[in-house]
Coordinates of all heavy atoms in Angstrom, one line a residue:
K136 N -26.5 0.9 18.0 CA -25.1 0.3 17.9 C -24.0 0.9 18.9 O -23.3 0.3 19.5 CB -24.6 0.3 16.5 CG -25.5 -0.7 15.7 CD -24.9 -0.9 14.2 CE -25.8 -1.7 13.4 NZ -25.6 -1.5 12.1
F137 N -24.1 2.2 18.8 CA -23.1 3.0 19.8 C -23.4 2.8 21.2 O -22.5 2.6 22.0 CB -23.0 4.5 19.4 CG -22.2 4.9 18.2 CD1 -22.6 5.2 17.1 CD2 -20.8 4.8 18.4 CE1 -21.9 5.5 16.0 CE2 -19.8 5.1 17.3 CZ -20.5 5.4 16.1
W138 N -24.7 2.8 21.5 CA -25.3 2.6 22.9 C -24.7 1.1 23.3 O -24.0 1.0 24.4 CB -26.7 2.7 23.0 CG -27.3 2.2 24.3 CD1 -27.7 0.8 24.5 CD2 -27.2 2.8 25.5 NE1 -28.0 0.7 25.8 CE2 -27.9 1.8 26.6 CE3 -27.0 4.0 26.0 CZ2 -28.0 2.1 27.8 CZ3 -27.0 4.4 27.3 CH2 -27.7 3.5 28.1
D139 N -25.0 0.2 22.6 CA -24.6 -1.3 22.8 C -23.1 -1.4 23.1 O -22.6 -2.2 23.9 CB -25.1 -2.2 21.7 CG -26.6 -2.3 21.8 OD1 -27.3 -2.0 22.8 OD2 -27.2 -2.8 20.8
W140 N -22.2 -0.7 22.1 CA -20.8 -0.8 22.2 C -20.4 -0.1 23.5 O -19.5 -0.8 24.2 CB -20.2 0.0 21.0 CG -18.8 -0.2 20.8 CD1 -17.9 -1.0 21.4 CD2 -17.9 0.8 20.1 NE1 -16.7 -0.7 21.0 CE2 -16.6 0.5 20.2 CE3 -18.2 2.0 19.2 CZ2 -15.6 1.0 19.6 CZ3 -17.3 2.5 18.6 CH2 -15.9 2.2 18.7
A141 N -20.9 1.0 23.9 CA -20.4 1.7 25.2 C -21.0 0.9 26.3 O -20.2 0.7 27.3 CB -21.0 3.1 25.1
K142 N -22.1 0.2 26.4 CA -22.5 -0.6 27.3 C -21.7 -1.9 27.6 O -21.3 -2.2 28.6 CB -24.0 -1.0 27.1 CG -24.7 -1.9 28.2 CD -26.1 -2.3 27.9 CE -26.6 -3.1 29.1 NZ -25.9 -4.4 29.3
S143 N -21.2 -2.4 26.4 CA -20.4 -3.7 26.6 C -19.1 -3.3 27.3 O -18.6 -4.1 28.0 CB -20.1 -4.2 25.2 OG -19.2 -3.5 24.4
I144 N -18.6 -2.1 27.0 CA -17.3 -1.6 27.7 C -17.6 -1.4 29.2 O -16.9 -1.9 30.0 CB -16.8 -0.4 27.1 CG1 -16.3 -0.7 25.7 CG2 -15.6 0.2 27.8 CD1 -16.1 0.6 24.8
R145 N -18.7 -0.8 29.4 CA -19.1 -0.7 30.9 C -19.3 -1.9 31.6 O -18.9 -2.1 32.8 CB -20.4 0.2 30.9 CG -20.8 0.6 32.4 CD -22.2 1.1 32.4 NE -23.0 0.0 32.2 CZ -24.4 0.0 31.9 NH1 -25.0 1.2 31.7 NH2 -25.2 -1.1 31.6
D146 N -19.8 -2.9 30.8 CA -20.0 -4.2 31.5 C -18.8 -5.2 31.5 O -18.9 -6.3 32.0 CB -21.2 -4.9 30.7 CG -22.6 -4.3 30.8 OD1 -22.6 -3.5 31.8 OD2 -23.4 -4.7 30.0
G147 N -17.7 -4.7 31.1 CA -16.3 -5.3 31.3 C -15.9 -6.0 30.2 O -14.8 -6.8 30.2
K148 N -16.4 -5.8 28.8 CA -15.9 -6.6 27.7 C -14.4 -6.1 27.5 O -14.2 -4.8 27.3 CB -16.8 -6.3 26.5 CG -16.3 -7.0 25.3 CD -17.2 -6.6 24.1 CE -16.6 -7.3 22.9 NZ -17.3 -7.0 21.6
L149 N -13.5 -6.9 27.4 CA -12.2 -6.5 27.2 C -11.7 -6.1 25.8 O -10.9 -5.3 25.5 CB -11.3 -7.7 27.7 CG -11.3 -7.9 29.2 CD1 -10.4 -9.1 29.7 CD2 -11.0 -6.8 30.1
D150 N -12.4 -6.7 24.9 CA -12.0 -6.5 23.4 C -12.9 -5.4 22.8 O -13.9 -5.7 22.3 CB -12.2 -7.7 22.5 CG -11.7 -7.6 21.0 OD1 -11.0 -6.6 20.8 OD2 -12.4 -8.3 20.3
Y151 N -12.5 -4.1 23.1 CA -13.6 -3.0 22.7 C -13.0 -2.0 21.7 O -13.7 -1.3 21.3 CB -13.9 -2.3 24.1 CG -12.8 -1.8 24.9 CD1 -12.1 -0.6 24.7 CD2 -12.2 -2.6 25.9 CE1 -11.0 -0.3 25.4 CE2 -11.2 -2.1 26.8 CZ -10.6 -0.9 26.4 OH -9.5 -0.6 27.1
R152 N -11.7 -2.1 21.5 CA -11.1 -1.1 20.5 C -11.4 -1.5 19.1 O -11.5 -2.7 18.8 CB -9.5 -0.9 20.8 CG -9.2 -0.3 22.0 CD -7.7 -0.1 22.0 NE -7.2 0.7 23.2 CZ -7.0 0.4 24.3 NH1 -7.2 -0.9 24.7 NH2 -6.7 1.2 25.1
T153 N -11.5 -0.6 18.2 CA -11.7 -0.8 16.7 C -11.0 0.2 16.0 O -10.5 1.3 16.7 CB -13.1 -1.0 16.4 OG1 -13.3 -1.5 15.1 CG2 -13.9 0.4 16.4
N154 N -10.9 0.0 14.7 CA -10.4 1.1 13.8 C -11.4 1.7 13.1 O -12.5 1.1 12.9 CB -9.4 0.6 13.0 CG -8.1 0.1 13.8 OD1 -7.7 0.6 14.8 ND2 -7.3 -0.9 13.2
G155 N -11.3 2.8 12.3 CA -12.3 3.3 11.6 C -11.9 4.5 10.7 O -10.8 4.9 10.8
S156 N -12.9 5.1 10.1 CA -12.5 6.1 9.1 C -13.6 7.2 9.1 O -14.9 6.8 9.2 CB -12.3 5.8 7.7 OG -11.2 4.9 7.6
L157 N -13.4 8.5 9.0 CA -14.2 9.5 8.5 C -14.0 9.8 7.1 O -12.9 10.0 6.6 CB -14.0 10.8 9.3 CG -15.1 11.9 8.8 CD1 -15.8 12.4 10.0 CD2 -14.2 13.0 8.2
V158 N -15.1 9.6 6.3 CA -15.0 9.8 4.8 C -15.7 11.1 4.3 O -16.9 11.2 4.6 CB -15.5 8.6 4.0 CG1 -15.4 8.8 2.5 CG2 -14.7 7.2 4.5
I159 N -15.0 11.9 3.7 CA -15.6 13.2 3.0 C -15.9 12.8 1.6 O -15.0 12.4 0.9 CB -14.7 14.5 3.2 CG1 -14.6 14.7 4.7 CG2 -15.4 15.5 2.5 CD1 -13.8 15.9 4.9
S160 N -17.1 13.2 1.2 CA -17.5 12.9 -0.2 C -18.0 14.2 -0.8 O -18.3 15.1 -0.3 CB -18.6 11.8 -0.3 OG -18.4 10.6 0.4
D161 N -18.0 14.1 -2.3 CA -18.7 15.2 -2.9 C -20.2 14.8 -3.1 O -20.6 13.8 -2.5 CB -18.1 15.4 -4.3 CG -18.1 14.3 -5.3 OD1 -19.0 13.3 -5.1 OD2 -17.5 14.4 -6.4
M162 N -21.0 15.6 -3.7 CA -22.4 15.5 -3.8 C -22.8 14.2 -4.6 O -23.9 13.6 -4.3 CB -23.1 16.8 -4.4 CG -23.1 17.9 -3.5 SD -23.7 19.4 -4.1 CE -25.0 19.1 -4.9
S163 N -22.1 13.7 -5.4 CA -22.2 12.5 -6.1 C -22.0 11.2 -5.3 O -22.2 10.1 -5.7 CB -21.5 12.4 -7.4 OG -20.1 12.3 -7.2
G164 N -21.3 11.4 -4.1 CA -20.9 10.3 -3.3 C -19.3 9.8 -3.6 O -19.0 8.9 -2.9
K165 N -18.6 10.5 -4.4 CA -17.3 10.1 -4.6 C -16.4 10.6 -3.4 O -16.5 11.7 -3.1 CB -16.8 10.8 -6.1 CG -15.4 10.5 -6.3 CD -15.0 11.5 -7.6 CE -13.4 11.4 -7.6 NZ -13.0 12.3 -8.8
E166 N -15.5 9.7 -3.0 CA -14.7 9.9 -1.9 C -13.7 11.0 -2.3 O -13.0 10.9 -3.3 CB -14.0 8.6 -1.5 CG -13.2 8.9 -0.2 CD -12.6 7.6 0.2 OE1 -13.3 6.6 0.3 OE2 -11.3 7.6 0.5
L167 N -13.7 12.0 -1.4 CA -12.6 13.1 -1.7 C -11.5 13.1 -0.7 O -10.3 13.3 -1.0 CB -13.3 14.4 -1.6 CG -14.3 14.8 -2.6 CD1 -15.0 16.2 -2.3 CD2 -13.8 14.8 -4.1
S168 N -11.8 12.6 0.6 CA -10.7 12.6 1.7 C -11.3 11.5 2.7 O -12.4 11.3 2.9 CB -10.9 13.9 2.4 OG -9.7 14.1 3.3
R169 N -10.2 11.1 3.2 CA -10.5 10.0 4.3 C -9.4 10.2 5.6 O -8.2 10.5 5.3 CB -10.2 8.6 3.8 CG -10.4 7.4 4.7 CD -10.2 6.1 4.0 NE -11.2 5.8 3.2 CZ -12.3 5.0 3.5 NH1 -12.3 4.6 4.6 NH2 -13.3 4.8 2.5
W170 N -10.0 10.2 6.8 CA -9.1 10.3 7.8 C -9.3 9.0 8.6 O -10.4 8.5 8.9 CB -9.6 11.4 8.9 CG -9.0 12.7 8.5 CD1 -8.0 13.2 9.1 CD2 -9.6 13.8 7.7 NE1 -7.6 14.3 8.6 CE2 -8.8 14.8 7.7 CE3 -10.7 13.7 7.0 CZ2 -9.0 15.9 7.0 CZ3 -11.1 14.9 6.2 CH2 -10.1 16.0 6.2
T171 N -8.3 8.1 8.9 CA -8.4 6.8 9.6 C -8.0 7.2 11.0 O -6.9 7.7 11.3 CB -7.4 6.0 8.9 OG1 -7.9 5.7 7.5 CG2 -7.5 4.5 9.6
F172 N -8.7 6.5 11.8 CA -8.5 6.6 13.4 C -8.2 5.1 13.9 O -9.0 4.3 13.4 CB -9.4 7.5 14.1 CG -10.7 7.4 13.6 CD1 -11.7 6.5 14.0 CD2 -11.2 8.5 12.7 CE1 -13.0 6.4 13.5 CE2 -12.5 8.5 12.3 CZ -13.5 7.4 12.8
N173 N -7.3 5.0 14.8 CA -6.9 3.7 15.1 C -7.1 3.5 16.7 O -6.9 4.5 17.4 CB -5.4 3.3 14.8 CG -5.2 3.3 13.2 OD1 -6.1 2.7 12.6 ND2 -4.2 3.9 12.8
N174 N -7.5 2.3 17.0 CA -7.7 1.9 18.5 C -8.7 2.9 19.2 O -8.4 3.6 20.2 CB -6.4 1.9 19.2 CG -5.6 0.7 18.7 OD1 -6.1 -0.3 18.3 ND2 -4.3 1.0 18.6
V175 N -9.9 3.0 18.6 CA -10.9 4.0 19.1 C -11.8 3.2 20.0 O -12.1 2.0 19.7 CB -11.6 4.8 17.9 CG1 -10.7 5.7 17.2 CG2 -12.5 4.0 17.2
W176 N -12.5 3.8 21.0 CA -13.5 3.3 21.7 C -14.4 4.4 22.3 O -13.8 5.5 22.5 CB -13.0 2.3 22.8 CG -12.0 2.9 23.7 CD1 -10.7 3.1 23.5 CD2 -12.2 3.5 24.9 NE1 -10.0 3.7 24.6 CE2 -11.0 4.0 25.4 CE3 -13.4 3.7 25.7 CZ2 -10.9 4.6 26.8 CZ3 -13.3 4.2 27.0 CH2 -12.0 4.7 27.4
P177 N -15.6 4.1 22.6 CA -16.5 5.1 23.0 C -16.3 5.5 24.5 O -16.5 4.7 25.4 CB -17.9 4.8 22.8 CG -17.8 3.2 22.8 CD -16.4 2.9 22.3
S178 N -15.7 6.6 24.9 CA -15.5 7.0 26.3 C -16.7 7.7 27.0 O -16.8 7.9 28.1 CB -14.2 7.9 26.4 OG -14.4 9.1 25.7
K179 N -17.6 8.1 26.0 CA -18.8 8.9 26.5 C -20.0 8.7 25.5 O -19.8 8.7 24.3 CB -18.5 10.2 26.6 CG -19.7 11.2 27.2 CD -19.2 12.7 27.3 CE -20.5 13.4 27.6 NZ -20.3 14.9 27.7
W180 N -21.1 8.4 25.9 CA -22.4 8.3 25.2 C -23.4 9.3 25.9 O -23.6 9.2 27.2 CB -22.8 7.0 25.1 CG -24.1 6.9 24.1 CD1 -24.1 6.6 22.8 CD2 -25.5 7.2 24.5 NE1 -25.4 6.7 22.3 CE2 -26.2 7.0 23.3 CE3 -26.1 7.5 25.7 CZ2 -27.6 7.2 23.3 CZ3 -27.5 7.7 25.7 CH2 -28.2 7.6 24.6

């Protein structure tokens, strides 16, 4: 998926930005913290 996303940008796809999050959990899987990042795209693979 990351390879295909970076390749689509290289091939000229204009709609390439997305938003996302890094989620830190405890050992049971309960969410403890979340960082949200906006307008991200792969600049290197």
Side-chain angles (χ1 to χ4, degrees):
K136 290 179 184 171
F137 276 107
W138 166 265
D139 291 338
W140 185 20
K142 183 181 178 304
S143 73
I144 295 168
R145 185 194 70 195
D146 292 345
K148 182 178 176 188
L149 297 178
D150 183 26
Y151 53 85
R152 289 181 168 89
T153 192
N154 300 327
S156 297
L157 175 127
V158 180
I159 295 180
S160 307
D161 64 11
M162 289 174 38
S163 71
K165 177 184 169 191
E166 183 176 315
L167 298 177
S168 184
R169 177 180 291 260
W170 278 269
T171 301
F172 32 88
N173 297 316
N174 294 324
V175 301
W176 55 278
S178 61
K179 179 182 175 184
W180 182 95

